[in-house]
Amino acid sequence: MTVIVHEDRAALVDRTAERLTALLAALIAERGHATIAVTGGSVGIALLAGLADRAIDWQRVRITWSDERYVVADSPDRNAVQAREALLDLVPIPAGNVRELPADDGTPLAEAAAAGTELLRDLGGIDLTLLGMGPDAHIASLFPGHPGVHESGVAVIGVTDSPKPPPSRLSFTVDAINASDRVWLVVAGADKAEAVALAHSGAPAAEAPAGVAQGRHETLMLLDAEAAALLEEGGR
Ligand code: 6PG
């Protein structure tokens, strides 16, 4: 895991938007398209907003989500609704390129999760999974001490008891995250410093899910100075 520290939250968001724009350009130049799994949270949504004015060939970008709140499709709690407001409604991305995880239309959560796994199989590989991290070191909707962190064999699981509301979620598994070519954890704020240090120390998934996220080719921990405060200089 490579740690990159930016001076503050604004710089983290701006430089990560720049890094992501460059990655998308490189992937599109290389093979004509790019597929990314985005995330919610305040940093995740600010990052999406930071892409709105960049020169990106949106026709060639496909987007899905590394986790989603299992609520009705137009709920403001949905990461997808927030992403539309921040970015997707503002850029010329074809509707068919936006691949939301299912919304709650009355379908049982387990069936929605199976549909999510199918959706991911259909996408055929994720170039980059973006993740935020909670102060408890959770990523996506994989929470420390919860069984979801150990689920394997499927790409998307249902979570019914998220400690953070809303309680019902769909989430990439660790397997799905780690099947991505790249994983970027984007984290800001002093309240994350302990979790960053724990995840970076190699703590097990049950304790710090963020610590086991690993892309096939690249794993970046992109931080602001406050979130990095408890990392030892030499360890970065
Ligand atoms: C959720 C949150 C959460 C979030 C992290 C980071 O699903 O309830 O969105 O998973 O991504 O807590 O959030 P911040 O970027 O706001 O710190």
Side-chain angles (χ1 to χ4, degrees):
M1 187 180 279
T2 304
V3 178
I4 298 170
V5 183
H6 295 290
E7 97 183 274
D8 57 22
R9 186 187 181 95
L12 170 69
V13 168
D14 186 61
R15 301 301 306 282
T16 304
E18 190 176 299
R19 182 183 293 275
L20 182 45
T21 302
L23 174 65
L24 292 173
L27 290 167
I28 291 167
E30 198 180 299
R31 51 180 172 69
H33 56 88
T35 304
I36 59 174
V38 301
T39 185
S42 58
V43 178
I45 298 299
L47 174 59
L48 294 180
L51 296 175
D53 290 330
R54 309 238 172 200
I56 293 170
D57 185 354
W58 289 106
Q59 302 288 325
R60 297 170 182 276
V61 177
R62 291 186 306 178
I63 289 192
T64 191
W65 277 263
S66 53
D67 81 320
E68 185 54 277
R69 285 89 180 266
Y70 196 57
V71 289
V72 295
D74 60 356
S75 166
D77 277 342
R78 277 197 54 94
N79 291 333
V81 168
Q82 295 173 26
R84 283 181 194 285
E85 283 170 8
L87 173 69
L88 301 174
D89 286 347
L90 312 177
V91 297
I93 187 164
N97 289 15
V98 178
R99 308 294 303 274
E100 286 188 37
L101 294 175
D104 185 1
D105 61 358
T107 303
L109 186 61
E111 272 176 46
T117 291
E118 192 56 40
L119 183 156
L120 212 58
R121 186 174 307 132
D122 215 52
L123 281 172
I126 303 286
D127 295 304
L128 167 68
T129 293
L130 288 165
L131 298 167
M133 187 186 71
D136 58 355
H138 84 260
I139 45 170
S141 288
L142 303 175
F143 295 92
H146 285 231
V149 294
H150 304 296
E151 293 234 20
S152 71
V154 291
V156 175
I157 54 167
V159 174
T160 52
D161 55 354
S162 162
K164 223 184 137 180
S168 293
R169 312 284 189 99
L170 293 169
S171 178
F172 274 18
T173 56
V174 171
D175 281 358
I177 292 168
N178 292 359
S180 312
D181 282 351
R182 299 164 193 78
V183 172
W184 296 358
L185 281 126
V186 190
V187 184
D191 60 325
K192 308 290 174 65
E194 277 184 31
V196 164
L198 187 66
H200 191 257
S201 74
E207 219 180 306
V212 298
Q214 199 166 34
R216 291 170 62 239
H217 303 319
E218 176 181 76
T219 311
L220 301 184
M221 208 182 223
L222 299 150
L223 307 173
D224 73 349
E226 287 186 349
L230 298 179
L231 285 180
E232 296 189 11
E233 283 290 333
R236 289 185 191 172

